[in-house]
Amino acid sequence: NAMAAVRAATKKHVRTTCASASTTSKTKVASPRPHDRVRMALPSKGRMAEDTLELLKSCQMSVNKLNPRQYVAEIPIFHENLEVWFQRASDVVRKLRYGDVDIGIVGYDMFCEFAKGDGDLMVVHDALGFGRCHLALGVPNTEKFAEVGDLQDLLSMSCWTPESPLRVVTGYHNIAREFFGKHKFQNLALLSADGALEAAPQMGSADIILDLVSSGVTMRENNLREIEGGKILESQGVLVASRKAMLEREGCLEIVHEMIERLEAHLVAEGMFSVQANMIGNSEAEVADRLLSSSSLGGLQGPTVAPVFKKGENGNAAEMGYFAVTVVVPRKELYASVRLLRSIGGSGVLVTPLTYIFDEEPERWRKLKQLLGI
């Protein structure tokens, strides 16, 4: 019966399992399945899917899906070397493990839950900037938990026994086992539910929940609260790939490299603006000194200053006492920077949003090459 199953589950030793890119696992590494092109898996539904497509579009890697009812698409800039498959978030990781796809974008929470320490899977970009949330415990605001302020309070409650374990409803059983195992807590029963986890404590079918938290509104509206020490991991969109595919699948490593370059350059440039203006001055150095007197006009590595020319009387280019200046400023400092630029003699101010800032070779790409031994 159900109670017997719960009792049996709670008597199992809670082992610590790690689902990270760097963990060595006994899991057999899948060989890349035979297919002609590199395959990339993307989330098929929800906000994660929308944000993924928007980010790729912003990086000029738009996904071309001719038929909305189909699950296969392409990214034209990679010509015919890459095909895109839309999958459920959990299946993005599973397909990577099976060798059915080579690259994927998924939430870090899903990666940790379903990678299960698979040493072949690697996070090649760990901060895509969307889908930010965290995985945390939610405790009811009831009399039973009134004195529970932190994790230790929760785990030390005398009511948790092998016969009456702490019932945690969650969709993250692997992460939960690792978390509670790390705290050496064994009087535990992990329960599953398809959606509406927040209702389980009120219904009496669970004691607490373990779920994703974004704004926290849903948890509060269902009379739940977070506790100190109950935050398990931070999550956002990540780019993941198969080590074996990158080393053995023709074109896979090159595509991963270009994606890292484009994503990194775009994410650095996001929210940054190029500000250009003309300034009267005696020399480039004198104008640069005025700009450098304010930290907000220093640009990325310093302002760019160049003389402005006009056509002289003899038909040759002649300086006119104006200098064109260019600085890069963040969005939140844009208006203040424009006002400051005007105050030191700037005029004709032009503002342009930036799509990319390509600097040196990305650190993430250098680290990936080291991990791959190339």
Side-chain angles (χ1 to χ4, degrees):
N1 58 32
M3 183 55 70
V6 169
R7 288 172 180 166
T10 59
K11 291 180 180 179
K12 292 182 179 180
H13 179 63
V14 182
R15 295 184 302 160
T16 299
T17 59
C18 183
S20 68
S22 60
T23 301
T24 302
S25 173
K26 295 182 180 179
T27 304
K28 185 178 179 180
V29 175
S31 296
R33 297 284 180 89
H35 42 262
D36 296 333
R37 298 192 287 176
V38 178
R39 289 179 174 177
M40 182 177 192
L42 300 180
S44 58
K45 295 180 180 179
R47 184 64 182 271
M48 181 66 74
E50 296 171 5
D51 289 345
T52 298
L53 294 178
E54 184 60 34
L55 175 62
L56 293 175
K57 182 179 179 181
S58 298
C59 297
Q60 282 69 57
M61 295 188 289
S62 294
V63 178
N64 186 10
K65 189 177 182 182
L66 298 178
N67 187 336
R69 294 183 180 275
Q70 292 181 339
Y71 289 93
V72 64
E74 62 181 17
I75 298 179
I77 66 159
F78 294 114
H79 308 292
E80 296 181 355
N81 299 323
L82 176 70
E83 59 186 31
V84 174
W85 289 83
F86 290 94
Q87 300 287 306
R88 291 187 306 174
S90 57
D91 286 339
V92 170
V93 185
R94 290 192 181 103
K95 298 295 185 184
L96 278 162
R97 295 190 69 197
Y98 300 158
D100 293 324
V101 300
D102 310 303
I103 311 167
I105 291 180
V106 70
Y108 185 62
D109 58 301
M110 287 284 106
F111 177 80
C112 289
E113 175 65 16
F114 293 101
K116 298 178 182 177
D118 191 324
D120 180 56
L121 302 190
M122 304 178 70
V123 175
V124 298
H125 198 300
D126 60 348
L128 296 182
F130 65 85
R132 287 189 177 95
C133 55
H134 62 273
L135 193 63
L137 301 178
V139 174
N141 289 314
T142 58
E143 184 177 353
K144 180 177 181 178
F145 297 96
E147 301 301 320
V148 174
D150 59 27
L151 180 63
Q152 189 56 42
D153 292 338
L154 175 67
L155 301 185
S156 61
M157 292 175 67
S158 59
C159 56
W160 312 131
T161 66
E163 291 73 28
S164 179
L166 172 64
R167 298 169 302 163
V168 183
V169 61
T170 183
Y172 297 88
H173 285 218
N174 291 320
I175 293 174
R177 288 190 188 96
E178 177 185 356
F179 178 75
F180 286 103
K182 182 174 67 177
H183 292 280
K184 296 181 170 48
F185 182 76
Q186 296 186 18
N187 294 325
L188 176 73
L190 297 177
L191 310 176
S192 300
D194 295 325
L197 268 64
E198 293 84 2
Q202 294 186 49
M203 295 177 67
S205 57
D207 297 302
I208 66 172
I209 73 168
L210 190 163
D211 201 12
L212 289 178
V213 181
S214 181
S215 65
V217 172
T218 302
M219 189 175 285
R220 289 192 297 272
E221 289 183 347
N222 284 275
N223 202 33
L224 298 169
R225 59 185 169 86
E226 293 187 61
I227 57 173
E228 185 177 344
K231 182 185 291 187
I232 297 172
L233 64 81
E234 297 281 352
S235 181
Q236 62 177 300
V238 296
L239 177 66
V240 298
S242 159
R243 178 193 299 266
K244 203 167 183 65
M246 286 188 285
L247 292 174
E248 298 181 9
R249 176 88 63 205
E250 183 179 357
C252 184
L253 186 61
E254 290 76 12
I255 289 174
V256 169
H257 182 194
E258 183 170 343
M259 285 186 170
I260 291 174
E261 288 268 14
R262 286 176 174 270
L263 289 165
E264 193 80 354
H266 173 69
L267 292 169
V268 170
E270 195 172 37
M272 303 292 283
F273 290 83
S274 174
V275 179
Q276 299 170 293
N278 289 331
M279 293 181 65
I280 296 175
N282 298 318
S283 67
E284 290 99 324
E286 185 267 327
V287 171
D289 282 340
R290 274 189 273 164
L291 294 168
L292 291 170
S293 65
S294 169
S295 59
S296 63
L297 297 179
L300 295 175
Q301 295 172 322
T304 301
V305 183
V308 177
F309 292 87
K310 67 177 180 179
K311 193 170 185 179
E313 294 180 359
N314 59 0
N316 296 325
E319 294 187 19
M320 54 187 296
Y322 275 92
F323 294 88
V325 303
T326 303
V327 295
V328 174
V329 300
R331 182 193 302 273
K332 63 182 180 181
E333 298 177 12
L334 177 60
Y335 183 60
S337 298
V338 170
R339 291 184 61 186
L340 183 57
L341 193 56
R342 285 173 176 164
S343 72
I344 60 174
S347 63
V349 180
L350 302 178
V351 177
T352 307
L354 298 178
T355 301
Y356 293 120
I357 296 178
F358 287 101
D359 200 356
E360 300 174 356
E361 187 177 64
E363 179 64 22
R364 287 183 173 90
W365 171 243
R366 288 199 293 268
K367 287 183 177 179
L368 178 60
K369 289 195 296 182
Q370 291 176 358
L371 290 170
L372 293 175
I374 59 176

